[in-house]
Amino acid sequence: MEKLRIYGGKKLKGRVKISGAKNAAVAILPAALLADDTCLIDNLPYIDDVIVLADILKEMGAYVKLNPQGSIEINVSKMKEYRAHYDMVRRMRASYYLLGVLLAKFGKAEVAFPGGCAIGTRPIDQHIKGFEALGAKVVLEHGVIKAYADKLVGSEIYLDVVSVGATINIMLAAVRAEGTTTIVNAAKEPHVVDVANFLNSMGAKIKGAGTDTIRIKGVDKLSGCEYTIIPDQIETGTYMIAAAATGGDVTVVDVIPKHMEAVTAKLLEMGMEVIEGDDEIRVIGRQRPRKVNIKTQPYPGFPTDLQQPMSALLSIADGVSVITENVWEARFKHLDEIARMGGNAKIEDRVAIIQGVEKLYGAPVIATDLRAGAALIIAGLIAEGVTEISNVEFIDRGYETIEHKLVSLGADIERVDENGKTRRLTLVEGTAAL
Ligand code: EPZ
């Protein structure tokens, strides 16, 4: 169990390159199993979720060459395995994408019910409804989801909730189905569009990704391709918020500003300066943030995955902010930890009422999930004194070289391993920076 120790109070300054999108990568890697030959995927974030997934694909018989510099080669010509066991999938939620992929590839899939962040009940009824509409029989036996189909046939599927996972999983299953599948009330997140673009590069015929109606015309064959993953919207937002929180001046580089509109709007409302370029955004923390209200929504609304980092910033806002979490029902656990640092929030069901305080103070805190970890890093950067964050493995699941990036921006942060040994990065000119 490693910890991150942050000596707070440093203003972040400089330029930081954003990695490829985690939530696109965790769908694109399994999607590559659908190709008959090699896929080369670039701008891949080197994070634990990707490393775990690459191992799962290897164990299933795929040839996988993962390059820590951010690319992967996948070839499945010898793969026969249609089962993914609990030991393989329990470490990551997104292993549910194997269901759609294996069903499309082999007409059968057996995948243990996935693990992942504890942020509320995480049903997959909409995924299953989609597979069934395509003609599959789906059962849950002893913790394993089993899906079988002699053939998949296109269908119209209306999602009862806007679900990223169900939208992608149904696309994955439908690309090789007979006829046309329509997903109505589909998720519009940038990573949904990215997965559709990847599948289209392999020869799929998907139209409408990024709108609420997606049409997938089934094809017989998908081929290997070369593909570059989009930048991570949530990592981008995390550094934008960290810049504002520390009163810093940070430019996030290699990003898509359009994906950040909801976050940019809130930072402006708080009194921050935000300057957009073609593929970069500069955030200057000009003042103590003004209070704002936030309601999380599917894209293009304010992303739930940035609600936690944003609430760390609102902990020091001038006034009372109200956050309504509309996507996950248990995504405020980090506020209990921030309370240990002097934060003042009251939680009522899906609403957090945050009374801004002038200062946070360093304390030992526990990351309960990935974005809770990001929120605690931001709280630690703002706080006076030393903050020690446990359960860093959650953070490593989704943020690439987080200490490198923070140190390159001037943060004072070190990692403490399970034996209490400290690893501290020193910023040698040019190595931790861009
Ligand atoms: C994806 O999860 C992301 N994970 C999550 O990011 C993100 O919080 C979420 O989308 C919302 O944007 C990945 O992409 C791997 P959903 P997903 O299906 O697909 C309900 C992070 O921090 N629902 O869009 O699992 C569900 O309960 C992670 O990077 C059903 O009711 O989320 C939730 O309330 C955490 N039935 C809502 O829909 C279903 O079958 C949205 O969930 C599916 C979902």
Side-chain angles (χ1 to χ4, degrees):
M1 291 285 187
E2 297 190 328
K3 293 179 185 170
L4 282 178
R5 190 180 289 145
I6 302 176
Y7 301 85
K10 297 273 192 300
K11 289 180 193 290
L12 298 190
K13 288 210 164 101
R15 293 164 67 78
V16 61
K17 185 183 175 332
I18 297 304
S19 302
K22 163 179 99 73
N23 289 342
V26 296
I28 285 176
L29 263 51
L33 302 185
L34 291 168
D36 289 343
D37 38 17
T38 304
C39 288
L40 285 171
I41 299 154
D42 211 1
N43 201 30
L44 181 75
Y46 193 68
I47 50 177
D48 281 0
D49 267 7
V50 163
I51 297 167
V52 168
L53 194 47
D55 281 347
I56 293 175
L57 301 187
K58 254 189 237 167
E59 279 184 51
M60 294 181 72
Y63 168 81
V64 177
K65 193 168 162 206
L66 176 61
N67 171 1
Q69 305 314 320
S71 65
I72 195 166
E73 193 180 325
I74 301 175
N75 182 297
V76 290
S77 47
K78 297 207 177 81
M79 181 180 158
K80 303 228 164 17
E81 186 58 89
Y82 64 94
R83 289 165 302 190
H85 306 293
Y86 182 65
D87 279 350
M88 289 151 83
V89 305
R90 71 192 163 88
R91 284 177 61 199
M92 66 175 313
R93 178 82 192 155
S95 44
Y96 52 40
Y97 290 134
L98 289 168
L99 274 172
V101 166
L102 297 172
L103 191 58
K105 191 175 174 67
F106 297 118
K108 53 189 176 181
E110 294 186 5
V111 179
F113 210 83
C117 279
I119 51 179
T121 50
R122 302 192 67 174
I124 57 163
D125 55 300
Q126 299 301 304
H127 306 227
I128 292 171
K129 171 175 146 170
F131 299 148
E132 287 175 341
L134 297 174
K137 186 169 163 10
V138 187
V139 288
L140 176 65
E141 272 174 17
H142 307 292
V144 178
I145 306 158
K146 301 182 176 177
Y148 306 95
D150 290 336
K151 68 171 178 180
L152 295 171
V153 180
S155 174
E156 174 155 329
I157 299 152
Y158 170 81
L159 295 182
D160 300 321
V161 287
V162 178
S163 158
V164 170
T167 303
I168 293 178
N169 229 343
I170 295 168
M171 280 195 314
L172 292 170
V175 279
R176 301 234 313 233
E178 194 179 292
T180 299
T181 299
T182 308
I183 309 174
V184 183
N185 200 25
K188 297 183 275 213
E189 267 65 7
H191 34 286
V192 172
V193 180
D194 208 36
V195 178
N197 287 340
F198 174 67
L199 290 166
N200 283 342
S201 306
M202 292 162 73
K205 294 203 163 121
I206 303 174
K207 284 194 174 151
T211 74
D212 53 19
T213 304
I214 301 180
R215 285 199 173 78
I216 306 131
K217 200 165 162 219
V219 293
D220 291 338
K221 180 180 153 59
L222 293 169
S223 322
C225 68
E226 289 185 22
Y227 192 77
T228 302
I229 294 178
I230 52 164
D232 195 301
Q233 178 203 23
I234 307 304
E235 192 197 19
T236 307
T238 304
Y239 285 100
M240 289 170 71
I241 293 166
T246 58
D249 180 350
V250 170
T251 303
V252 283
V253 179
D254 282 352
V255 304
I256 300 177
K258 171 94 186 127
H259 294 167
M260 304 313 303
E261 280 171 349
V263 180
T264 298
K266 283 297 157 189
L267 290 176
L268 290 171
E269 207 179 316
M270 285 177 188
M272 306 300 159
E273 194 174 339
V274 184
I275 305 156
E276 282 183 9
D278 288 343
D279 61 358
E280 56 182 52
I281 307 174
R282 181 173 173 196
V283 177
I284 308 170
R286 287 279 179 218
Q287 57 176 74
R288 182 175 178 196
R290 289 196 284 265
K291 68 180 175 70
V292 297
N293 296 337
I294 287 176
K295 293 184 179 169
T296 64
Q297 301 281 356
Y299 188 81
F302 191 92
T304 170
D305 296 345
L306 286 172
Q307 174 269 108
Q308 291 159 294
M310 195 56 126
S311 63
L313 169 56
L314 290 177
S315 296
I316 54 156
D318 190 5
V320 179
S321 304
V322 179
I323 299 185
T324 310
E325 174 52 71
N326 290 311
V327 181
W328 300 114
E329 70 267 26
R331 219 173 189 184
F332 286 135
K333 290 182 194 144
H334 61 292
L335 289 175
D336 292 337
E337 299 301 306
I338 293 177
R340 310 184 66 248
M341 302 172 70
N344 181 357
K346 212 167 95 191
I347 296 154
E348 288 171 5
D349 196 19
R350 283 172 177 257
V351 177
I353 300 155
I354 302 177
Q355 167 71 65
V357 294
E358 282 200 24
K359 255 191 179 177
L360 294 178
Y361 298 91
V365 288
I366 300 171
T368 48
D369 63 81
L370 167 60
R371 309 300 172 189
L376 295 175
I377 287 179
I378 289 169
L381 291 170
I382 307 170
E384 188 178 302
V386 184
T387 299
E388 223 172 62
I389 305 172
S390 315
N391 284 0
V392 174
E393 61 275 14
F394 280 121
I395 300 170
D396 293 335
R397 280 185 44 202
Y399 287 91
E400 187 172 28
T401 56
I402 187 133
E403 295 120 277
H404 273 86
K405 291 190 183 186
L406 286 170
V407 166
S408 77
L409 294 173
D412 197 347
I413 181 168
E414 61 194 14
R415 190 174 281 249
V416 186
D417 75 13
E418 49 274 27
N419 305 315
K421 206 165 152 237
T422 301
R423 253 185 300 142
R424 195 181 178 80
L425 292 169
T426 37
L427 181 62
V428 182
E429 190 104 28
T431 56
L434 279 181

